[in-house]
């Protein structure tokens, strides 16, 4: 399977001399039908500050939407868990962050490994939807393989997340089936939470934010509106704000 030129994972070694002598790791997850390209500028910024960074490529991404249609939530979560475990072995503290489906995946990590996560950063996370056609996915996925894609919801001209032009239905149904168990387990999330939300998002509707912010047990929750970005905010006009706010959040939540 041919890999997109920008889809290779990103790994940056920690430089503890820049982070108070401690090795701080950051795991960043891209979204559904996207690939590491949407997260690399964020990861590179954090790496320049001394943080050890891992941006894995989730299975079925950065190749073809047809391959993605053979993958499930368990495949994506399994890959992210492997990257998380590796970071934990090499760092004194780990913060996790994700965009869209990546946000849901890192919330799952935070629920399952509350004792090993110092902070959670989510950008336009998806754990629910108000779309009525979602209820038809169990039937539709057997009738048609894909719908038109969701990629490149970006306000800034000239930007490209290099996602798929089609949305594979079996794969997205697997994603949405994982949402209810995750929502039920959100009270297990205790780490500080930085929630970054675009005020205009054409991919993830308003159903997820109240569910997440009301159900997590985190006592330290900060919600920041992103007023100049659409869904892929990590590549949009508010990207510098995301980079700076997350860096300050990581520094604060991992201080010894």
């Amino acid at each position: 399977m041919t890999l997109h030129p920008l889809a290779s994972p990103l790994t940056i070694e920690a430089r503890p001399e820049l982070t108070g002598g401690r090795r701080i790791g950051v795991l960043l997850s891209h979204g559904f039908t996207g690939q590491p390209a949407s997260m690399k500028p964020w990861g590179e910024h954090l790496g320049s500050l001394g943080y050890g960074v891992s941006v894995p490529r989730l299975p079925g991404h950065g190749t073809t939407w047809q391959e993605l249609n053979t993958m499930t939530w368990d495949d994506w979560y399994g890959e992210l868990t492997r990257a998380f475990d590796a970071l934990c072995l090499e760092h004194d503290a780990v913060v996790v962050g994700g965009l869209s489906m990546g946000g849901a995946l890192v919330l799952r990590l935070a629920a399952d490994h509350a004792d090993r996560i110092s902070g959670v950063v989510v950008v336009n996370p998806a754990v629910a939807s108000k779309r009525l056609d979602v209820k038809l996915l169990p039937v539709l996925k057997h009738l048609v393989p894909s719908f038109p894609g969701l990629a490149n919801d970006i306000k800034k001209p000239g930007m490209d997340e290099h996602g798929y032009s089609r949305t594979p239905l079996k794969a997205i149904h697997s994603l949405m089936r994982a949402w209810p168990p995750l929502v039920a387990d959100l009270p297990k999330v205790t780490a500080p939470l930085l929630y970054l939300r675009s005020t205009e998002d054409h991919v993830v509707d308003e159903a997820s934010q109240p569910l997440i912010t009301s159900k997590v047990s985190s006592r330290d929750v900060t919600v920041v509106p992103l007023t100049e970005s659409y869904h892929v905010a990590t590549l949009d006009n508010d990207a510098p704000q995301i980079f700076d706010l997350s860096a300050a959040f990581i520094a604060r939540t991992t201080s010894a």
Side-chain angles (χ1 to χ4, degrees):
M1 189 70 67
T2 302
L3 190 65
H4 189 281
L6 300 176
S8 58
L10 174 68
T11 303
I12 300 175
E13 289 292 320
R15 289 187 288 165
E17 68 274 14
L18 299 180
T19 55
R22 302 181 77 220
R23 295 177 61 85
I24 308 299
V26 182
L27 176 65
L28 298 178
S29 176
H30 65 78
F32 184 74
T33 76
Q35 52 140 305
S38 63
M39 308 300 280
K40 285 181 178 178
W42 186 8
E44 288 164 353
H45 177 82
L46 295 176
S48 73
L49 300 176
Y51 298 114
V53 177
S54 176
V55 183
R57 179 182 69 88
L58 302 180
H61 293 82
T63 54
T64 66
W65 69 261
Q66 291 92 339
E67 188 202 12
L68 179 56
N69 217 17
T70 68
M71 302 296 173
T72 68
W73 170 270
D74 288 342
D75 295 312
W76 310 318
Y77 187 60
E79 181 63 27
L80 201 66
T81 300
R82 284 187 286 274
F84 172 69
D85 287 341
L87 272 181
C88 288
L89 287 174
E90 299 178 355
H91 296 83
D92 300 309
V94 173
V95 171
V96 296
L99 166 68
S100 194
M101 177 181 79
L105 285 166
V106 299
L107 285 167
R108 181 75 263 175
L109 277 176
D112 292 345
H113 304 283
D115 59 327
R116 294 200 286 161
I117 290 177
S118 296
V120 182
V121 184
V122 291
V123 181
N124 297 324
V127 301
S129 176
K130 293 185 176 181
R131 290 181 56 155
L132 297 179
D133 55 0
V134 167
K135 297 180 180 179
L136 301 176
L137 278 175
V139 175
L140 286 174
K141 69 179 184 179
H142 297 296
L143 302 177
V144 291
S146 66
F147 278 170
L150 304 171
N152 278 340
D153 187 33
I154 303 174
K155 186 175 184 178
K156 186 176 181 179
M159 300 303 292
D160 187 348
E161 70 167 322
H162 302 286
Y164 293 146
S165 61
R166 304 293 298 180
T167 299
L169 296 194
K170 289 181 180 178
I172 200 169
H173 185 227
S174 174
L175 164 60
M176 292 178 175
R177 287 176 63 189
W179 285 348
L182 170 57
V183 170
D185 282 344
L186 285 175
K188 296 179 181 178
V189 177
T190 58
L193 174 66
L194 175 60
Y195 194 122
L196 302 157
R197 174 67 176 146
S198 296
T199 53
E200 185 173 354
D201 184 334
H202 307 104
V203 176
V204 173
D205 61 36
E206 64 274 18
S208 293
Q209 182 173 337
L211 276 177
I212 295 170
T213 56
S214 67
K215 289 184 176 294
V216 296
S217 297
S218 312
R219 295 184 178 181
D220 179 346
V221 177
T222 304
V223 179
V224 179
L226 305 174
T227 59
E228 295 299 326
S229 298
Y230 296 157
H231 182 65
V232 191
T234 53
L235 297 178
D236 216 327
N237 294 308
D238 291 305
Q241 184 181 8
I242 293 172
F243 300 170
D244 291 343
L245 287 173
S246 63
F249 175 81
I250 294 164
R252 178 171 66 81
T253 56
T254 61
S255 61

